[in-house]
Amino acid sequence: MTPTRRVLFRLLPGAALLGAAAPSAARAQGTAWPSGPVRLIAPFPPGGSVDTILRLLQPHLQRALGTPIVVENRSGASGALGTAALARAAPDGQTFGLVFDTHAVNQFIIPSLGFDARADFAPVMLVGTAPMLIAAHVARPWRSLAEAIAAAKARPDTITYGTVGVGSLAHLTMTLMQKQGGFRLVHVPYRGGGPMSTAAAAGELDLAMATNAGLGGQVGTTLRPLAQTGARRSPNLPDLPTVAESGVPGIDALAWWGMLAPARTPEGIVRRFHAALEEALAVPEVRARLSGPMGIDVVASSPEAFGAFLERQMEIWGQVVRENNIRPE
């Protein structure tokens, strides 16, 4: 994967007028923060789940903070390029970033990452989690995961599956599935959910593996869901069996999205941004969009709970990387 050098900026129309709006509760507390537009880094391309979530939160954060919110897409290297930019940002509360589950494993896969996944960031919030879906293009003959696995056993290393990148949770989970189920697929990594879902919808892949959000609304139209990766069926997809129910035991993997700040960002600013996120996530339309078409269970954790969650994810998936000798492709 070649990190893109293109930086995309998008400012919500009318955001420049917010400076003239009545002071929000945050400004009424008498501090200088925010002192200007707040930048939200999306380490994946437009169209993927990270970008979609930030665009959904953007107007509500603008209202809560009384300042323009700028979403900046800096994609590449399974999210590491944009996350490195976040690590280098000034810890003044003017830059935050929404990371995907790749953040917990990039340090084990990418040489010379350029930042410390633990020390260079301050956790803000675990925004939400979701099961990943394994889906086939509707032109493929498989009606269940068991049928797709049987085809893979009959023709090893011929059936393709796409993910958002090497070391992504989908890649690691499918690695475990192949070991547990005794079959072999061909991994095709992409630079985000947008490019991957586009390729899957066009029939360029046999299977696609991502959250419902990451599959870009294609489930039920161009893509047929075969199984979900959680230990239990998602309430958003009660009729879709789990991987374990489909004959591959021991699989329990949920994708996640979390907000980070640069390390040494003042705790007071982290708390106030966290409160603005809580406010945005409490908007009924936002929750409906996340839980409905995107299939995300909103968590809205405390910074401390997100920090503990990150540690567990790094331990679990770091071990999978080491035991399976996963390297960049």
Side-chain angles (χ1 to χ4, degrees), residues 6 90 184 248 272:
R6 187 181 181 198
R184 297 200 308 271
V248 184
R272 287 168 58 191

Side-chain angles (χ1 to χ4, degrees), residues 126-279:
L126 175 61
V127 173
T129 63
M132 291 173 291
L133 309 184
I134 302 166
H137 190 271
V138 292
R140 303 309 192 267
W142 315 305
R143 298 285 172 172
S144 68
L145 179 60
E147 290 181 3
I149 290 175
K153 288 181 177 180
R155 297 183 289 116
D157 298 317
T158 60
I159 293 175
T160 60
Y161 79 99
T163 73
V164 298
V166 174
S168 64
L169 188 63
H171 180 210
L172 299 184
T173 302
M174 185 59 84
T175 297
L176 289 179
M177 287 175 56
Q178 291 176 88
K179 180 178 287 188
Q180 291 283 87
F183 61 96
R184 297 200 308 271
L185 304 175
V186 178
H187 182 217
V188 183
Y190 288 82
R191 292 190 303 176
M196 192 270 290
S197 63
T198 298
E204 296 172 11
L205 294 165
D206 296 312
L207 300 170
M209 190 168 179
T211 63
N212 197 37
L215 292 174
Q218 299 299 322
V219 173
T221 55
T222 59
L223 299 178
R224 179 188 302 122
L226 304 180
Q228 56 184 301
T229 61
R232 294 172 296 278
R233 295 190 184 194
S234 168
N236 294 313
L237 295 161
D239 297 327
L240 186 64
T242 66
V243 170
E245 290 174 321
S246 303
V248 184
I251 301 300
D252 181 13
L254 295 176
W256 56 268
W257 297 261
M259 192 73 73
L260 296 174
R264 298 176 299 281
T265 298
E267 182 179 355
I269 291 178
V270 169
R271 297 289 178 186
R272 287 168 58 191
F273 188 69
H274 180 277
L277 275 173
E278 280 189 318
E279 184 177 330

Side-chain angles (χ1 to χ4, degrees), residues 96-119:
F96 295 86
L98 186 70
V99 296
F100 192 45
D101 48 56
T102 53
H103 179 71
V105 296
N106 280 341
Q107 62 188 313
F108 306 111
I109 294 176
I110 301 175
S112 304
L113 191 59
F115 60 85
D116 187 310
R118 290 181 172 88

Side-chain angles (χ1 to χ4, degrees), residues 10-21 58-59 62-63 66-69:
R10 188 183 298 172
L11 186 62
L12 189 74
L17 300 177
L18 288 176
Q58 183 186 41
Q62 287 183 151
R63 182 164 53 251
T67 196
I69 302 293

